[in-house]
């Protein structure tokens, strides 16, 4: 935190759109309202008064809350103070977490909401109190409007009720309606201000990134030539984006997927793997912006950060490998572990089909879930041995 304290409020290409919608919300002025983002994160920004310093403080507090929740869960499961403390410190000092807490992106808020959701599900299983599953459905609903990628979280919510209450139809209906309520409100706000029942404007772009590496699948000559002239790198879809509307990109993507479904499924499988085994490079926007302050020391600092991140990503890969190992070979998992794995896998599969996964941030919100799953089942295994 000391090293990163000078990097408050670094921005990303997506940040402008979040702040623009937050400004609409804060001042209740919806002229030129855009549909490209859901309202979850802009609401969070509006609560910070559009002030990046305040938002960073909020996100740091969320990071502390995540560590405390993980400490509580691990301690309650294992009764080991040292293991709980070590796990929470490990997550709290994760370069990825620290870096994102100082950035204007959705990941820290998403990470907190996923962790809080898991905590509430755990309390529901332990106490069998309906209050916890109701609260979990509210968290799930807000998580969905932070990013639509989290819609599969509803699956684990319903399965939790089925496991515990044996198909309580009224409770399933209530929690599902609560989970979808924020999304419904978001839809109506969009319709009132933009005359469209739409909540996300990058479906076409996201789908197009999947099949961009396979130019033979795309019928549009202009796009195919751009693909061929950029050495098959997925990121030149940005060039396509500025030249085509979202509707045009969506149409091109759907036609290409229908023409070459094999490539689409192949790309989706690769995206699924990258959800768990992301690339090693960290987006050092904040460090790049302030390198003049370091002069010669900047390069040493950046090298140190990159090296720590490299070792931590290896640890991340190892934890995810253990997750799959336990998932495949551990046949006596309890209900909570099953719900944990279902939530992680359903979200990973959903994202894999709709978003190209070459981004270390996509799987990040589930870091605490995977750590809790691995530590819990690993502890129980060694305890039996």
């Amino acid at each position: 935190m000391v090293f990163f304290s000078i990097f408050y409020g670094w921005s990303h290409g997506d940040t402008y759109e979040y702040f623009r919608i937050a400004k609409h919300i804060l001042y209740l002025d919806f002229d030129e309202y855009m549909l490209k983002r859901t309202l979850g994160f802009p609401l969070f920004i509006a609560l910070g008064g559009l002030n990046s310093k305040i938002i960073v403080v909020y996100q740091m507090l969320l990071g502390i809350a995540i560590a405390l929740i993980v400490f509580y869960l691990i301690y309650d499961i294992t009764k080991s103070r040292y293991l709980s403390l070590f796990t929470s410190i490990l997550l709290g000092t994760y370069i990825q977490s620290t870096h994102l807490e100082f950035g204007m992106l959705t990941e820290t808020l998403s990470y907190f909401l996923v962790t809080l959701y898991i905590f509430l599900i755990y309390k529901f299983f332990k106490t069998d109190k309906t209050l916890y599953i109701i609260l979990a459905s509210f968290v799930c609903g807000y998580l969905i409007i932070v990013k639509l990628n989290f819609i599969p979280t509803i699956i684990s919510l319903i399965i939790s009720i089925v496991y515990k209450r044996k198909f309580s139809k009224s409770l399933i209906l209530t929690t599902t309606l609560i989970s979808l309520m924020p999304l419904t409100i978001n839809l109506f706000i969009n319709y009132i201000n933009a005359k469209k029942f739409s909540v996300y404007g990058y479906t076409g772009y996201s789908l197009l990134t999947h099949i961009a590496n396979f130019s033979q699948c795309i019928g549009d000559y202009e796009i195919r030539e751009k693909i061929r002239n950029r050495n098959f790198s997925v990121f030149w879809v940005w060039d396509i984006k500025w030249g085509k509307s979202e509707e045009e990109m969506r149409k091109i993507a759907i036609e290409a997927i229908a023409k070459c479904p094999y490539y689409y499924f192949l790309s989706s499988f690769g995206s699924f793997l990258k959800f768990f085994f992301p690339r090693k490079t960290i987006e050092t926007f904040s460090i790049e912006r302030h390198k003049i302050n370091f002069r010669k020391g900047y390069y040493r600092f950046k090298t140190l950060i990159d090296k720590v991140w490299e070792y931590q990503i290896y640890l991340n890969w190892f934890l995810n490998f253990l997750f799959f190992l336990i998932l495949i070979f551990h046949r006596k998992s309890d209900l909570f572990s099953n719900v944990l794995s279902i939530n992680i896998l359903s979200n990973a599969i959903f994202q894999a089909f709709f978003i190209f996964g070459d981004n270390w941030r996509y799987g990040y919100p589930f870091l605490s879930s995977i750590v809790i799953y691995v530590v819990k089942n690993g502890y129980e295994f060694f305890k039996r041995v």
Side-chain angles (χ1 to χ4, degrees):
M1 289 295 183
V2 173
F3 283 115
F4 277 88
S5 61
I6 61 171
F7 299 134
Y8 64 84
W10 62 268
S11 60
H12 184 272
D14 300 337
T15 303
Y16 164 75
E17 293 173 357
Y18 293 125
F19 268 80
R20 183 176 172 181
I21 297 172
K23 191 174 180 180
H24 288 309
I25 296 169
L26 190 62
Y27 297 110
L28 297 176
D29 179 8
F30 291 91
D31 290 338
E32 299 182 1
Y33 180 72
M34 60 194 297
L35 298 172
K36 291 183 178 179
R37 301 289 174 181
T38 46
L39 297 178
F41 190 58
L43 275 170
F44 182 75
I45 293 173
L47 286 173
L50 306 179
N51 187 316
S52 60
K53 292 182 181 180
I54 295 175
I55 296 164
V56 165
V57 171
Y58 285 169
Q59 293 187 148
M60 290 174 67
L61 292 174
L62 292 182
I64 294 169
I66 290 167
L68 291 174
I69 291 171
V70 170
F71 178 87
Y72 171 83
L73 288 175
I74 298 297
Y75 180 74
D76 201 59
I77 291 166
T78 65
K79 306 302 179 186
S80 170
R81 294 179 184 176
Y82 296 112
L83 183 58
S84 308
L85 186 63
F86 173 77
T87 307
S88 56
I89 289 175
L90 179 68
L91 289 176
T93 56
Y94 209 59
I95 291 292
Q96 192 179 25
S97 301
T98 310
H99 182 66
L100 286 170
E101 285 171 16
F102 287 84
M104 301 295 105
L105 288 172
T106 63
E107 275 69 28
T108 298
L109 179 59
S110 302
Y111 186 20
F112 168 73
L113 291 172
V114 171
T115 307
L116 179 61
Y117 171 79
I118 291 302
F119 167 77
L120 292 169
I121 293 295
Y122 176 80
K123 294 295 286 185
F124 173 66
F125 277 122
K126 186 176 180 181
T127 65
D128 198 24
K129 290 183 178 179
T130 305
L131 174 64
Y132 288 115
I133 201 69
I134 296 294
L135 290 174
S137 62
F138 277 109
V139 173
C140 176
Y142 186 52
L143 186 60
I144 289 170
I145 63 165
V146 171
K147 268 195 174 180
L148 283 177
N149 305 346
F150 296 105
I151 279 181
T153 304
I154 295 176
I155 297 171
S156 62
L157 187 71
I158 293 171
I159 289 174
S160 298
I161 298 169
V162 172
Y163 272 155
K164 198 71 177 174
R165 294 291 179 86
K166 306 297 181 184
F167 292 97
S168 173
K169 293 181 181 179
S170 59
L171 190 56
I172 290 173
L173 180 62
T174 302
T175 52
T176 304
L177 289 174
I178 291 172
S179 299
L180 294 175
M181 182 174 60
L183 183 59
T184 306
I185 294 170
N186 199 155
L187 277 166
F188 275 106
I189 289 173
N190 289 357
Y191 181 74
I192 291 168
N193 295 287
K195 306 304 178 187
K196 284 186 178 180
F197 275 111
S198 176
V199 287
Y200 194 63
Y202 287 135
T203 312
Y205 165 70
S206 299
L207 288 174
L208 200 56
T209 54
H210 263 304
I211 41 81
N213 286 327
F214 310 107
S215 60
Q216 67 270 30
C217 297
I218 301 175
D220 189 296
Y221 178 79
E222 177 190 352
I223 293 179
R224 195 162 64 240
E225 285 303 304
K226 285 185 177 182
I227 288 172
R228 286 173 176 163
N229 293 333
R230 291 298 186 98
N231 298 319
F232 301 102
S233 168
V234 74
F235 291 105
W236 16 268
V237 179
W238 284 108
D239 290 345
I240 300 167
K241 176 188 170 187
W242 301 127
K244 298 287 180 181
S245 69
E246 170 62 23
E247 289 74 16
E248 287 175 310
M249 286 195 292
R250 189 182 298 119
K251 182 180 177 182
I252 293 166
I254 292 171
E255 288 175 353
I257 290 168
K259 184 179 178 181
C260 304
Y262 168 77
Y263 290 133
Y264 173 60
F265 282 104
L266 189 66
S267 179
S268 298
F269 179 70
S271 183
F272 176 79
L273 292 179
K274 288 173 183 175
F275 181 94
F276 294 98
F277 304 101
R279 54 184 171 157
K280 289 188 289 184
T281 55
I282 189 170
E283 294 170 336
T284 50
F285 298 113
S286 54
I287 299 176
E288 293 291 341
R289 284 176 55 208
H290 294 83
K291 66 182 178 182
I292 192 170
N293 297 333
F294 285 99
R295 297 182 181 176
K296 293 180 181 179
Y298 156 76
Y299 297 101
R300 293 179 182 176
F301 180 77
K302 184 179 183 300
T303 301
L304 172 65
I305 294 299
D306 286 344
K307 185 60 66 175
V308 173
W309 167 239
E310 185 177 350
Y311 286 124
Q312 286 186 334
I313 199 68
Y314 286 140
L315 176 61
N316 192 16
W317 289 355
F318 179 66
L319 287 170
N320 290 336
F321 173 74
L322 289 178
F323 167 75
F324 280 106
L325 204 65
I326 294 168
L327 190 67
I328 294 168
F329 295 105
H330 188 44
R331 301 297 182 185
K332 296 182 179 179
S333 294
D334 62 305
L335 299 182
F336 176 65
S337 294
N338 289 337
V339 170
L340 258 180
S341 60
I342 288 168
N343 191 48
I344 294 165
L345 291 173
S346 61
N347 278 278
I349 292 168
F350 183 83
Q351 286 196 38
F353 277 101
F354 289 96
I355 301 175
F356 187 81
D358 192 16
N359 191 324
W360 58 270
R361 291 185 282 115
Y362 292 154
Y364 168 73
F366 297 92
L367 177 61
S368 61
S369 303
I370 291 171
V371 168
I372 291 167
Y373 182 88
V374 169
V375 171
K376 179 182 184 302
N377 287 280
Y379 177 82
E380 290 171 355
F381 171 78
F382 285 110
K383 190 177 179 181
R384 285 196 300 269
V385 172

